[in-house]
């Protein structure tokens, strides 16, 4: 079961979504009233009916019908996909399934040859096709086709008589058609095989990646019958029904206020808060934690929410300094210690829990934290059988204590205001200054290296220290 | 709920189709078994009815509090100006389709994995390759950077998630120090470190997600509830940091409590496999991208889908999504080789980015939000800004 050569199941599921949508577009394009205007195309001396030009496909029809926002490049791209997937094929140069947005003629592929109808392509059909080509004109087969032809000859040797007979029959039948029809049929067939048996090195559009080995539809049927899954579903539904929900209007307002918050911090006058035109966009190298002086943007973000402050290592450090002044630093230390238990190694949980008890919770402890008696009792009970989450309640209590009390005071403090004042306000300057806009030759030290040298506080790479003196204007997206 | 049903159904995902057997059995081999099967069928159909009724009721409850649409609320917000994003760097070096990538917290390094079994760590600024590991399997579908920047985790068809400490010695074979952490019974589809290097969260084609202790390789918690392959996951940036969301082939997006292993919320509005899920920066919502060519936004407090990002002209599925730092923009990598940028609040498409020559398989915004990186089946990664 090799990836990429998967069975129908996995492929079918993805195709089941995408191909019908493409077919919908194709059918709409051929609508007698609203569809494309097709006409006869002259190909050398033969006149091919129901053809259209490349430019008609993408520029005219798609732009007009699909939706106003479709820009030209997108229209070309989309119609290119229709050709790649074989729904439209070129009359001239039929070997290459590419759409040229010019006067080159194209035709709609017959549904008989649609990717969704005849999948997977059968070896027998391919053998017959190659045999026909071989018989029709000696030496018309390409190198790779010759190889495949001989491989097939070996593999399905037992039906080879049938293959040759079929090929001859089909050729004979086609000779009796009008030349225009014959050309059309040949083009159609060729387009189909270009997709189902692409030449080596060509883009294989039918490659849907790793097939998901479990037959989805059958499995889902099995599983929905399965008691275990159903029970879980019922349980989840019951729990969900008991949930407290918030009105949409309140929730959605939240997004608007977040957006406005970020909007206030931008330094550009004519661009939107969160998005900057590429020409003025610059890399905020200063966001790197190792740089001593942060940008104004970075410091302002600490005021958005307590979470933002704690997420930033510099913010946390500054907050700790403030708490030390207020003689309540033990709260943050306690919180950090609890985080360490929750996310640390299983093997050290016991040891860490004991440390926390000794330093923060025991009566007379050096850095005793003020937790309400109910939570304290519950925590002490839990300490008898310590586990990863034993400190959760206490941690949350202290977290919200800091959030409601110390955090708002910190934002009003001189410490924070000074930080804001001395923060860098980058000016809108040249592209040349900014890392992603030019090629940097110097590499920065790997974080792995930094860990050896650096103290507990930094923890990250010393990074591009040179950035300290450059000014960079910017906003984040 | 009869106890014997469970004993008959001991391996849920391997259940054979019972109705068929009953139909075609010539004579009951053991009379008791026949009656038990009949009982099981009846119970199953009762369960199914109950489940369906509850689901309908849930949808009704959810609809009751839905008093306004997102785009209506967003009318008072300023529109986004015109903006242009371009490819700033192209990372070439993989020999086959790029399947997954992740940023390092230093906002500069990237780890990527590919179908050819290679996992490469790049410096995204200079485009230099800093480390390369060859996995013993192909189709490395998941990779993640450790928060400290000192290790990477990856896995795929080997059904495992392995952690490789990044050595500074260029001559040292990284594979020698490899540590096998997670073991699933099917392919690994996604992995992510939690807040430290010591825990990894994984999702797999076996329909489960799991939380592991890296040091010991011990399974800390497993999460059951998806009815098919789980394809993606994302950890919540919430203050209490105890939940994550996962999306799967059963079209469901589930929110889980990491501590208890329970599914606390479930959303089933997509019409096909969910390939990618990502939390909104505040943690109150998450976005999902699916093969049905839509991205959707689900609000966790309102407990419902609040926005759909789709267009008639978007025919191909979404493989990966991520938010901009502020959450105003949603970037989606599509199977038609393009990247669409959506205005999350207004629901409109702001930009289309062309450049990749095959489908976009993975997309992440950098930790400081100044750029994003996309990986594609055209063997390259591109950084955009």
């Amino acid at each position: 079961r090799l990836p990429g050569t998967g069975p129908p199941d996995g492929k079918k599921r993805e195709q089941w979504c995408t191909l019908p949508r493409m077919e919908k577009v194709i059918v709409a394009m051929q609508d007698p009233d609203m569809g494309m205007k097709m006409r006869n195309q002259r190909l050398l001396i033969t006149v091919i009916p129901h053809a259209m030009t490349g430019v008609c496909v993408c520029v005219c029809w798609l732009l007009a019908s699909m939706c106003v926002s479709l820009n030209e490049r997108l229209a070309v791209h989309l119609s290119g996909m229709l050709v790649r997937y074989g729904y439209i094929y070129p009359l001239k140069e039929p070997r290459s399934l590419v759409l040229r947005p010019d006067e080159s003629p194209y035709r709609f592929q017959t549904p008989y040859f649609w990717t969704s109808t005849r999948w997977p392509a059968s070896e027998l059909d391919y053998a017959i096709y190659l045999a026909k080509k071989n018989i029709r004109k000696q030496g018309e087969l390409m190198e790779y086709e010759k190889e495949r032809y001989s491989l097939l000859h070996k593999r399905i040797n037992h039906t080879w008589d049938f293959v040759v007979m079929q090929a001859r029959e089909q050729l004979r039948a086609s000779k009796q058609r009008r030349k225009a029809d014959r050309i059309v049929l040949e083009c159609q067939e060729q387009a189909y095989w270009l997709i189902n048996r692409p030449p080596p090195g060509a883009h294989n559009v039918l490659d849907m990646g790793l097939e998901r080995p479990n037959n989805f539809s059958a499995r889902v049927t099995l599983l929905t019958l399965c008691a275990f899954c159903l029970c879980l579903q019922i349980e989840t539904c019951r729990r969900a029904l008991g949930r407290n929900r918030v009105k949409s209007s309140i929730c959605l307002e939240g997004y608007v206020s977040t957006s406005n918050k970020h909007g206030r911090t931008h330094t550009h006058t004519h661009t939107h808060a969160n998005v900057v035109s590429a020409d003025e966009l610059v890399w905020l190298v200063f966001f790197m934690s190792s740089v001593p002086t942060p940008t104004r943007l970075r410091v302002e973000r600490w005021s958005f929410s307590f979470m933002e402050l704690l997420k930033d290592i510099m913010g946390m450090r500054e907050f700790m300094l403030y708490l030390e002044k207020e003689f309540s630093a033990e709260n943050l230390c306690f919180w950090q210690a609890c985080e360490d238990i929750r996310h640390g190694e299983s093997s050290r949980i016991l040891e860490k829990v004991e440390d926390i008890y000794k330093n923060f919770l025991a009566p007379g402890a050096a850095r005793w934290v003020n937790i309400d008696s109910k939570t304290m009792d519950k925590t002490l009970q839990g300490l008898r059988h310590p586990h990863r989450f034993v400190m959760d309640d206490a941690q949350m209590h202290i977290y919200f204590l800091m959030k409601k009390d110390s955090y708002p005071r910190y934002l009003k403090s001189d410490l924070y205001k000074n930080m804001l004042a001395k923060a860098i306000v980058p000016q809108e300057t040249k592209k040349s200054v900014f890392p992603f806009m030019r090629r940097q030759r110097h590499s920065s030290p790997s974080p792995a290296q930094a860990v050896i040298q650096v103290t507990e506080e930094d923890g990250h790479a010393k990074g591009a220290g040179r950035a300290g003196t450059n000014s960079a204007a910017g906003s984040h997206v | 709920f009869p106890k014997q049903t469970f004993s008959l159904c001991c391996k849920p995902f391997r259940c054979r189709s019972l109705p068929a057997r009953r139909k075609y059995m010539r004579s009951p081999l053991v009379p008791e078994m026949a009656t038990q099967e009949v009982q099981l069928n009846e119970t199953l159909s009762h369960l199914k009815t109950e489940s369906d009724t509850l689901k309908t009721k849930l949808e009704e409850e959810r609809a009751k509090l839905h008093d306004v649409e997102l785009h209506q609320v967003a009318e008072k917000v300023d529109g986004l100006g015109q903006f242009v994003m371009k490819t700033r760097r192209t990372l070439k070096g993989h020999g086959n389709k790029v399947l997954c990538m992740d940023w390092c917290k230093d906002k500069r390094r990237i780890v990527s994995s590919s179908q050819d079994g290679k996992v490469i760590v790049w410096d995204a600024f200079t485009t230099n390759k800093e480390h390369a590991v060859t996995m013993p399997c192909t189709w490395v579908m998941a990779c993640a950077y450790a928060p400290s920047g000192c290790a990477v985790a990856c896995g795929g068809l080997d059904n495992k998630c392995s952690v490789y400490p990044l050595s500074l010695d260029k001559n040292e074979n990284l594979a020698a120090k490899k540590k096998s952490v997670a073991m699933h019974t099917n392919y690994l589809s996604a992995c992510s470190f939690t807040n430290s290097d010591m825990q990894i969260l994984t999702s797999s084609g076996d329909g489960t997600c799991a939380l592991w202790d890296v040091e010991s390789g011990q399974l800390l918690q497993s999460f059951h509830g998806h009815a098919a392959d789980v394809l993606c996951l994302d950890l919540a940036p919430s203050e209490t940091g105890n939940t994550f969301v996962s999306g799967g082939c059963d079209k469901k997006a589930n929110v889980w409590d990491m501590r208890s292993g329970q599914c606390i919320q479930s959303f089933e509005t997509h019409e096909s496999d969910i390939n990618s899920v990502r939390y909104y920066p505040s943690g109150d919502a998450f976005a999902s991208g699916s093969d049905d060519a839509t991205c959707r936004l689900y609000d966790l407090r309102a407990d419902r889908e609040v926005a759909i990002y789709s267009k008639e002209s978007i025919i191909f599925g979404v493989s990966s999504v991520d938010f901009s730092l502020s959450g105003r923009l949603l970037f989606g990598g599509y199977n038609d080789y393009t990247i669409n940028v959506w205005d999350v609040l207004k629901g409109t498409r702001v930009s289309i980015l062309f450049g990749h020559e095959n489908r976009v398989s993975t997309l992440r915004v950098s930790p400081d939000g100044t750029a994003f990186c996309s990986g594609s089946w055209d063997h390259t990664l591109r950084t955009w800004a």
Side-chain angles (χ1 to χ4, degrees):
Chain A
R1 215 184 39 200
L2 290 169
T5 60
D9 317 310
K11 277 198 189 189
K12 269 221 177 96
R13 192 168 67 247
E14 199 181 319
Q15 284 195 348
W16 175 65
C17 274
T18 313
L19 296 180
R21 281 198 285 271
M22 288 179 94
E23 283 156 20
K24 212 170 122 195
V25 175
I26 290 289
V27 166
M29 279 174 139
Q30 292 177 75
D31 181 270
D33 302 315
M34 303 295 289
M36 299 201 34
K37 298 286 171 278
M38 294 181 280
R39 53 174 204 269
N40 296 343
Q41 271 288 337
R42 189 166 279 279
L43 202 63
L44 292 178
I45 50 171
T46 329
V47 173
I48 312 284
H50 303 303
M52 60 230 171
T53 60
V55 75
C56 271
V57 177
C58 45
V59 178
C60 309
W61 199 85
L62 281 171
L63 275 176
S65 324
M66 275 235 92
C67 36
V68 190
S69 66
L70 205 62
N71 64 44
E72 203 175 302
R73 179 156 185 196
L74 183 59
V76 173
H77 180 84
L78 193 55
S79 30
M81 295 304 275
L82 291 173
V83 176
R84 267 192 216 259
Y85 277 80
Y87 288 100
I88 293 175
Y89 60 89
L91 285 171
K92 282 196 191 138
E93 266 191 45
R95 289 212 71 79
S96 120
L97 292 178
V98 155
L99 182 123
R100 279 182 233 286
D102 54 20
E103 300 297 313
S104 340
Y106 293 83
R107 270 185 117 253
F108 288 107
Q109 178 65 289
T110 167
Y112 178 79
F113 277 131
W114 278 0
T115 315
S116 53
T117 337
R118 302 181 69 67
W119 191 93
S122 93
E123 296 227 295
L124 200 60
D125 285 340
Y126 193 42
I128 295 171
Y129 167 69
L130 290 176
K132 273 199 296 188
K133 266 188 122 178
N134 206 20
I135 296 171
R136 193 169 51 223
K137 210 200 284 183
Q138 279 293 346
E140 192 174 62
L141 286 180
M142 318 245 358
E143 259 325 300
Y144 74 90
E145 283 175 327
K146 284 193 190 134
E147 279 173 31
R148 291 180 188 174
Y149 190 52
S150 50
L151 263 169
L152 278 169
H153 183 81
K154 275 192 215 129
R155 216 165 31 223
I156 54 173
N157 203 309
H158 50 284
T159 54
W160 206 250
D161 291 339
F162 174 72
V163 167
V164 175
M165 182 192 73
Q166 265 294 308
R168 288 217 173 97
E169 270 304 306
Q170 288 183 18
L171 279 174
R172 198 176 55 78
S174 75
K175 278 208 175 78
Q176 293 172 350
R177 289 187 216 273
R178 283 178 23 232
K179 187 160 183 205
D181 290 343
R182 200 162 63 233
I183 292 181
V184 159
L185 281 166
E186 276 168 23
C187 285
Q188 283 176 346
E189 217 184 352
Q190 173 147 38
Y192 174 77
W193 289 111
L194 273 175
I195 289 179
N196 283 275
R197 292 284 187 273
H203 198 116
N204 179 8
V205 285
L206 293 185
D207 181 3
M208 300 281 179
L210 181 67
E211 99 276 9
R212 302 196 177 133
N214 309 297
N215 182 332
F216 176 61
S217 50
R219 194 184 183 196
V220 165
T221 325
L222 278 174
L223 290 173
T224 51
L225 289 176
C226 178
F228 180 62
C229 258
L230 283 171
C231 285
L232 281 179
Q233 254 181 43
I234 289 172
E235 216 184 295
T236 311
C237 267
R238 286 224 178 92
R239 261 204 308 272
L241 277 167
R243 254 189 103 77
N244 284 331
R245 266 170 218 93
V246 181
K247 269 201 297 197
S248 287
S249 45
I250 299 175
C251 302
L252 301 178
E253 277 299 323
Y255 301 153
V256 176
S257 58
T258 314
S259 173
N260 288 338
K261 250 196 263 183
H262 280 261
R264 272 203 310 268
T265 67
H266 82 93
T267 51
H268 290 264
T269 46
H270 62 283
T271 52
H272 181 269
N274 306 303
V275 168
V276 182
S277 98
D279 289 339
E280 295 162 271
L281 178 69
V282 273
W283 247 255
L284 288 180
V285 198
F286 307 102
F287 262 65
M288 285 185 180
S289 50
S290 57
V291 175
T293 326
T295 55
R296 193 184 174 90
L297 218 51
R298 184 177 180 181
V299 180
E300 277 175 353
R301 284 187 62 206
W302 301 344
S303 67
F304 289 173
S305 73
F306 191 34
M307 188 166 71
E308 286 289 343
L309 175 69
L310 291 185
K311 259 193 339 199
D312 186 343
I313 230 173
M314 191 184 279
M316 177 137 67
R317 204 166 46 204
E318 286 297 308
F319 187 55
M320 182 71 91
L321 284 171
Y322 173 73
L323 290 178
E324 275 165 11
K325 287 216 169 113
E326 299 241 313
F327 302 106
S328 54
E330 68 275 359
N331 286 337
L332 189 56
C333 292
F334 175 70
W335 183 85
Q336 285 173 334
C338 291
E339 279 290 286
D340 197 26
I341 293 187
R342 271 210 323 195
H343 299 285
E345 308 97 307
S346 294
S347 56
R348 294 188 57 205
I349 290 180
L350 255 154
E351 148 200 347
K352 288 181 184 173
V353 168
E354 278 175 17
D355 273 343
I356 288 192
Y357 176 73
K358 232 180 15 198
N359 292 324
F360 298 99
L361 298 175
R367 321 185 74 181
W368 192 79
V369 283
N370 193 359
I371 306 178
D372 68 287
S373 52
K374 194 163 147 227
T375 315
M376 180 65 97
D377 284 340
K378 191 165 170 217
T379 309
L380 292 177
Q381 280 265 3
L383 287 186
R384 294 204 202 139
H385 305 283
H387 58 88
R388 189 177 289 275
F389 302 106
V390 72
M391 292 293 172
D392 267 12
D393 289 337
Q395 182 185 7
M396 212 160 17
H397 180 91
I398 294 293
Y399 179 86
F400 283 113
L401 195 68
M402 289 192 288
K403 180 177 177 184
K404 271 208 305 252
D405 187 28
S406 317
Y407 173 62
R409 281 190 287 117
Y410 167 66
L411 291 181
K412 300 199 189 96
S413 71
D414 287 335
L415 205 64
Y416 180 67
K417 294 204 175 116
N418 288 340
M419 201 71 197
L420 213 51
K422 70 177 184 179
I424 301 175
V425 182
Q427 298 130 26
E428 293 154 69
T429 37
K430 311 143 203 175
K431 288 187 235 184
S432 57
V433 169
F434 312 120
F436 265 102
M437 304 292 229
R438 71 191 148 104
R439 207 136 256 287
Q440 268 206 357
R441 297 296 161 207
H442 333 281
S443 52
S444 74
S446 151
Q449 186 174 44
V451 165
I452 300 171
Q453 310 160 345
V454 134
T455 65
E456 191 187 76
E457 282 183 342
D458 297 275
H460 291 282
K462 284 223 160 99
R466 75 192 75 79
T469 50
N470 290 334
S471 28
S475 169
H476 48 78
V477 287
Chain B
F1 183 58
K3 222 171 170 185
Q4 62 256 43
T5 316
F6 265 133
S7 60
L8 273 176
C9 221
C10 51
K11 280 190 191 169
F13 296 164
R14 308 284 181 269
C15 236
R16 300 208 8 232
S17 179
L18 292 162
R21 237 173 58 191
R22 182 167 66 118
K23 212 169 160 192
Y24 299 115
M25 246 171 23
R26 290 202 195 101
S27 60
L29 297 161
V30 180
E32 301 153 11
M33 261 186 77
T35 23
Q36 275 181 336
E37 282 190 19
V38 171
Q39 269 183 325
L40 176 62
N41 277 332
E42 282 172 10
T43 322
L44 284 175
S45 61
H46 282 155
L47 284 178
K48 181 103 190 15
T49 329
E50 193 182 346
S51 172
D52 289 341
T53 325
L54 282 174
K55 274 198 210 167
T56 324
K57 223 171 141 197
L58 183 59
E59 284 315 309
E60 282 168 15
E61 284 299 310
R62 282 171 166 172
K64 278 185 193 160
L65 288 175
H66 190 58
D67 50 350
V68 71
E69 296 291 334
L70 180 56
H71 62 84
Q72 289 170 305
V73 168
E75 268 159 26
K76 54 187 162 186
V77 180
D78 289 336
L80 293 169
Q82 261 288 48
F83 73 100
V84 171
M85 291 184 97
K86 290 191 225 164
T87 302
R88 300 294 170 181
R89 295 284 191 276
T90 307
L91 304 176
K92 296 191 185 159
H94 276 295
N96 213 320
K97 310 179 171 76
V98 177
L99 300 173
C100 186
M101 57 94 29
D102 191 19
W103 287 86
C104 177
K105 282 224 163 94
D106 73 355
K107 300 129 187 162
R108 187 162 161 154
R109 280 169 181 80
I110 283 175
V111 63
S112 63
S113 65
S114 136
Q115 183 193 343
D116 63 0
K118 288 251 177 18
V119 175
I120 300 180
V121 175
W122 315 75
D123 176 330
F125 280 16
T126 61
T127 76
N128 289 338
K129 299 184 205 27
E130 298 198 341
H131 305 272
V133 177
T134 309
M135 294 277 286
C137 66
T138 56
W139 286 90
V140 188
M141 289 171 273
C143 64
Y145 226 118
S148 68
C150 299
V152 292
C154 48
L157 276 189
D158 57 351
N159 300 357
K160 292 196 260 207
C161 185
S162 316
V163 176
Y164 291 84
L166 295 176
S167 157
L168 301 157
D169 181 356
K170 297 291 174 171
N171 294 325
E172 189 177 352
N173 183 10
L174 284 182
K177 292 244 179 85
K178 156 176 151 176
K179 199 184 174 69
S180 258
V181 174
M183 287 276 280
H184 279 279
T185 53
N186 213 320
Y187 66 89
L188 191 84
S189 53
C191 65
S192 173
F193 283 89
T194 63
N195 282 11
S196 81
D197 282 17
M198 293 296 133
Q199 285 185 335
I200 288 191
L201 190 60
T202 59
S203 67
S204 162
D206 65 11
T208 68
C209 299
L211 183 66
W212 310 82
D213 175 59
V214 174
E215 196 189 33
S216 61
Q218 191 196 7
L219 173 66
L220 298 172
Q221 184 63 261
S222 67
F223 306 90
H224 296 266
H226 275 291
D229 308 18
V230 187
L231 297 179
C232 51
L233 56 84
D234 191 34
L235 282 150
S238 78
E239 298 173 309
T240 46
N242 259 340
T243 60
F244 74 96
V245 63
S246 67
C249 288
D250 56 355
K251 314 176 201 170
K252 284 207 270 205
N254 290 341
V255 180
W256 308 87
D257 175 3
M258 274 164 72
R259 190 172 158 172
S260 63
Q262 275 186 344
C263 171
I264 45 185
Q265 273 173 296
S266 185
F267 304 92
E268 198 175 347
T269 59
H270 269 294
E271 291 160 17
S272 187
D273 305 359
I274 298 179
N275 294 314
S276 171
V277 284
R278 196 69 65 204
Y279 269 96
Y280 185 73
S282 70
D284 293 328
F286 69 90
S288 60
S290 156
D291 275 345
D292 67 4
T294 66
C295 298
R296 291 171 200 240
L297 186 70
Y298 298 90
D299 187 294
L300 296 171
R301 290 168 306 168
D303 192 33
R304 56 174 295 122
E305 172 194 288
V306 292
I308 305 183
Y309 307 99
S310 70
K311 272 186 139 47
E312 224 183 278
S313 55
I314 296 180
I315 292 173
F316 288 80
V318 190
S319 62
S320 49
V321 294
D322 203 357
F323 283 100
S324 68
L325 205 61
S326 63
R328 180 67 192 268
L329 300 175
L330 180 68
F331 299 97
Y334 287 71
N335 291 342
D336 67 357
Y337 323 168
T338 64
I339 294 168
N340 286 303
V341 187
W342 299 89
D343 178 333
V344 171
L345 300 183
K346 297 203 183 261
T348 54
R349 175 172 59 191
V350 185
S351 182
I352 314 168
L353 303 174
F354 297 94
H356 278 297
E357 290 160 17
N358 205 327
R359 62 169 77 175
V360 179
S361 53
T362 174
L363 189 156
R364 295 296 294 260
V365 172
S366 76
D368 60 357
T370 54
F372 73 88
C373 182
S374 60
S376 158
W377 281 17
D378 65 6
H379 310 189
T380 68
L381 293 119
R382 283 171 184 247
T383 357
W384 307 76

